[in-house]
Amino acid sequence: MSVVIDLDNLDRLAAHAGAELVSKQPHWGDAILCDGLVYAARALHSDAPRLVAEKWFAPRLSAGPQTQGWFWVWAAEALPTLDLYEKTKNAAYLDYACKIVDFMESSATRTPGGAIVPHPPAMEVWIDVSYFTAPAMAMLARIERDPQRMERALAQLIAHARTLLDPATGLFWHVAYVDKGAHSPCLWARGNSWFSIAAPQLLADVEAAGTIDRFAAPVGEIREVLARQLNAIAGLQDKSGLWHTVIDRPDSYIEASSAAGFALGMGRALRIRIPGLNEALVRGAYRRALEALRANIDVQGAFTNVSEQTPPGDFDFYNSIKIGHAPFATGVCLMALSEAAEESSP
């Protein structure tokens, strides 16, 4: 599955992203951008991107996580702190992540099916939250060698999948309104990409922890759902290598953030060999997506053509979201290109 990644392109993206992270106004996606810099540091064999991430996190480590604030801000901080812990072995990062994950597990509002609710008292399940919760729980479980927490991570991802899956397509709705028995009306591409990132990351941690056989049933369910989703996603790719923002509607515009997420998810799924995955189809879509990512990095190193922050709505609403830049998209692009670069290195 070898792919060739232009490290100069990745270096330019990381340099621009690092300068932006420490100079612009705060954004909920900054933690994802921070995580992307940690990935880039590893792929580029350079401390510079990681040092920017550490600089950004320094005041947060001193203050501790603010779990009473807006969900998207504090929940997004768990994964980069765990990645920084694994790189630096600084116990302060591990403690920070533990507090976030423990709050998710002990205090976050949940649906009757167990899915974490980001905006209580609204009984809503968001596909984005599958990324903000289960992978951090699984990564922490692997680090701490805690099979009970791993079991809860699997259950959390399955709760999201069961609540949001569209059985006709194998794709996911953006939001489910559990108390109303309804869901948002569109299959949003970036929302689907969050699940495609989260699922293989969790599965890789289950495998690394040596618990695949112990959790055979939930692992099998997640593999089946992920394979079907990625097969469907690959079949909906635009000739540009990108996807339409409403993924099954070619009359919606194409944008780059979902391609970053799908490239990251597809690369991971191909590496861990998911049963039922159409590897030839998905590998072709993966390569085209990586090419499209590179084509959407401008000469300054900014990741462009990104659909900006998107709450749920009708088709016309999704199609009206502005195109520009966003830290969460740059972070995921950094992750996708970094993992591809590591895969292609000798």
Side-chain angles (χ1 to χ4, degrees), residues 13-25 27-40 49 52-53 56-57 76 80 131 194 301 303 326-335:
L13 178 64
H16 184 277
E20 181 182 68
L21 181 63
V22 296
S23 63
K24 68 176 185 58
Q25 290 296 310
H27 185 281
W28 69 262
D30 289 345
I32 299 172
L33 178 55
C34 178
D35 208 11
L37 290 170
V38 179
Y39 279 62
V52 174
W56 183 81
F57 250 111
Y131 170 79
W194 290 123
F303 183 45
F328 54 79
T330 302
V332 174
C333 185
L334 283 164
M335 294 180 206

Side-chain angles (χ1 to χ4, degrees), residues 143-260:
I143 291 169
E144 296 187 326
R145 298 176 179 160
D146 183 345
Q148 286 74 36
R149 197 190 296 271
M150 188 69 79
E151 185 173 24
R152 295 192 294 271
L154 288 159
Q156 185 59 217
L157 193 67
I158 287 171
H160 277 82
R162 289 178 178 175
T163 305
L164 289 159
L165 181 67
D166 172 34
T169 64
L171 301 171
F172 295 98
W173 303 109
H174 189 168
V175 178
Y177 307 103
V178 175
D179 52 349
K180 300 174 183 177
H183 56 70
S184 54
C186 294
L187 296 166
W188 179 43
R190 188 165 67 238
N192 272 273
S193 80
W194 290 123
F195 185 89
S196 73
I197 299 168
Q201 181 170 355
L202 185 154
L203 291 171
D205 276 321
V206 175
E207 183 172 359
T211 52
I212 286 283
D213 291 341
R214 177 171 181 164
F215 300 123
V219 163
E221 181 172 347
I222 291 169
R223 283 173 168 171
E224 181 178 353
V225 169
L226 177 62
R228 187 183 178 205
Q229 186 213 24
L230 291 179
N231 291 341
I233 287 165
L236 291 167
Q237 188 179 37
D238 182 75
K239 63 183 180 181
S240 65
L242 302 177
W243 278 263
H244 294 271
T245 192
V246 177
I247 194 169
D248 61 340
R249 292 283 300 265
D251 51 338
S252 65
Y253 64 73
I254 57 173
E255 65 88 35
S257 69
S258 55

